[in-house]
Amino acid sequence: MSRRRRGHAAHADGGGHGGGEERWMASYMDMVTVLMCLFIVLYAMSTVDAEKWETLKLSLATGFGVTQSDTVDTAEGLVVPEELVGEAGPSEGYAGYVPEPTEFEQMQQFADTISAQLGDSGLAAAVEFEIEDRGLVVKLTGVDTFFDGNSARLRPDALQVLNAIGPGLAASGRELSVEGHADPRFNPAPYETTWELAAARATSVLRYLVESSGMPAAHISGTTFGSAHPASDDPAQNRRVDIVVLTTDPEGLAQQLSQASEESSSGGTTSQGQGSGEPASTSGGKETGSSH
């Protein structure tokens, strides 16, 4: 009896030893698995892809951000501190950063858009462009294209041009200045002086843009230069109106123009089209001759 009990006890002890060995083997396998994962990570890190690493870094930063969420945030980007929400976006150098176009580039884009609109209507030669420190100057000029002599009535070709460019100008969200001009060498009758004649021309264009093209009246103004700024010896070239898309950053645009001028000093220009520089001033008023 005593031998059987001892044998039974020994069998029980042996069973307990086998269970411990199984538990030890399971722990060993877990450790091996963890080590394998570690070596895989180390191997992956030994050949770092900068772009993938940046994506991983930003993803981890987003995932461990301060804002709690019930969903997993897989978006790429930066974790924005609460106090910086609503401020300017990320600086150059961060993944996904797309720089805002400069004021000069925006003015070039406006000119390209207007040129395309005119090209679709076959009127590309009727308008010239120049970028100045005050903005993009759209020169409505051409041989008898816009106004007859001593007249502020828009000719049919002028209406076609305004119909082509008006909607784009109205949708730009920019302030516009409409500037009227007259030729200095002739009598402006029936207008008292060239100031009134140029003002009437600017008003004709302004009204058409507001009434027919949807330009907000609060974003457009008219100016008369009389005959003080002739553009050419050709009277028809001086019977003109300039539409200025005003810049919101005059100082910045002036710097960008200077920079672009230096970069293109080998022969390029900073303006679109065939715009001319600012002409010499002359005085307006009554003169002798036929028409302005």
Side-chain angles (χ1 to χ4, degrees), residues 7 15 32 58 62 93 134 148 202 211 230 244 247 263:
V32 170
L58 295 177
T62 303
R134 59 185 178 143
D148 291 321
E211 296 171 2
V244 185
T247 179
E263 293 174 355

Side-chain angles (χ1 to χ4, degrees), residues 92-272:
E92 185 174 359
Y94 286 101
Y97 171 72
V98 178
E100 290 289 333
T102 65
E103 188 71 0
F104 177 68
E105 291 171 339
Q106 292 184 50
M107 292 300 168
Q108 287 182 314
Q109 291 171 4
F110 284 137
D112 292 341
T113 300
I114 294 173
S115 294
Q117 293 167 340
L118 290 169
D120 293 340
S121 304
L123 300 167
V127 172
E128 298 175 358
F129 304 96
E130 184 175 1
I131 300 177
E132 302 176 352
D133 55 6
R134 59 185 178 143
L136 172 66
V137 183
V138 183
K139 298 176 179 290
L140 307 184
T141 185
V143 180
D144 286 337
T145 300
F146 293 93
F147 302 101
D148 291 321
N150 291 22
S151 173
R153 183 180 65 85
L154 289 165
R155 292 168 56 91
D157 288 346
L159 297 178
Q160 292 182 29
V161 170
L162 292 178
N163 286 334
I165 69 175
L169 292 173
S172 69
R174 295 293 187 115
E175 300 280 336
L176 300 185
S177 175
V178 182
E179 303 173 349
H181 298 267
D183 190 80
R185 291 165 290 188
F186 307 109
N187 191 315
Y191 294 92
E192 189 70 19
T193 67
T194 55
W195 297 106
E196 283 84 356
L197 174 56
R201 288 172 174 166
T203 302
S204 295
V205 173
L206 184 153
R207 285 190 58 187
Y208 195 86
L209 290 175
V210 172
E211 296 171 2
S212 300
S213 300
M215 182 68 199
H219 292 174
I220 190 170
S221 61
T223 303
T224 176
F225 284 95
S227 57
H229 294 278
S232 169
D233 291 334
D234 183 355
Q237 296 290 323
N238 296 327
R239 296 196 292 265
R240 75 187 195 277
V241 167
D242 294 339
I243 300 175
V244 185
V245 181
L246 297 173
T247 179
T248 56
D249 183 15
E251 294 183 2
L253 181 57
Q255 292 177 357
Q256 293 154 20
L257 281 170
S258 177
Q259 204 171 27
S261 179
E262 293 175 0
E263 293 174 355
S264 62
S265 58
S266 59
T269 62
T270 60
S271 61
Q272 300 283 334

Side-chain angles (χ1 to χ4, degrees), residues 46-69:
S46 67
T47 55
V48 177
D49 185 307
E51 183 177 352
K52 291 182 179 180
W53 172 254
E54 186 70 15
T55 301
L56 173 63
K57 183 180 71 173
L58 295 177
S59 179
L60 291 174
T62 303
F64 289 96
V66 297
T67 303
Q68 295 184 354
S69 175

